[in-house]
Amino acid sequence: MPTPLAMDAVLSDVVPLLRQPEEDVRRILETLGKLREGSRDVVVRIGVTGTGKPPNYRIDLADTPLMAFDGATHRALTGVKRIETEAWSTASMTYLEVRTMLGRLRGFVKKGPAPRHR
């Protein structure tokens, strides 16, 4: 049986579990960029109630949840009434951290642990 994700898991923790890591991270970064609208500080949190294959994710502005997305299709989850539940990681990654991670996946940046934003 697959192990559930840790409550403080971040996107970089589940990259090895993704079928198409580079494409999935690219699409999450694209979504972050659209919701970022310039200099707004948005972060991504992942759903921790599953096993990370692929995880749903939520985009927050500061501490306010904006939207949740299906990890397989990258479409907004429309049936979610309360996205500020315990189903989401306590840790997050910023737009810049996700962009750096995508660079690593593409071989543009030295490999190493991705920073965590708490």
Side-chain angles (χ1 to χ4, degrees), residues 41-43 45 58-67 83-84:
D41 191 21
V42 292
V43 298
R45 295 182 190 280
R58 182 181 89 183
I59 308 295
D60 294 358
L61 173 60
D63 289 328
T64 305
L66 293 177
M67 296 180 78
I83 63 172
E84 67 276 0

Side-chain angles (χ1 to χ4, degrees), residues 1-14:
M1 178 173 193
T3 306
L5 298 174
M7 284 303 296
D8 66 345
V10 292
L11 182 59
S12 60
D13 295 328
V14 298

Side-chain angles (χ1 to χ4, degrees), residues 12-69:
S12 60
D13 295 328
V14 298
V15 165
L17 304 174
L18 301 175
R19 289 181 313 228
Q20 299 177 316
E22 185 179 328
E23 178 61 12
D24 286 332
V25 172
R26 184 199 67 76
R27 290 186 71 183
I28 291 168
L29 183 65
E30 179 180 45
T31 302
L32 277 166
K34 287 177 183 174
L35 293 173
R36 185 172 174 226
E37 294 179 4
S39 63
R40 292 182 358 159
D41 191 21
V42 292
V43 298
V44 61
R45 295 182 190 280
I46 59 169
V48 293
T49 57
T51 57
K53 295 183 181 184
N56 292 338
Y57 56 96
R58 182 181 89 183
I59 308 295
D60 294 358
L61 173 60
D63 289 328
T64 305
L66 293 177
M67 296 180 78
F69 297 85

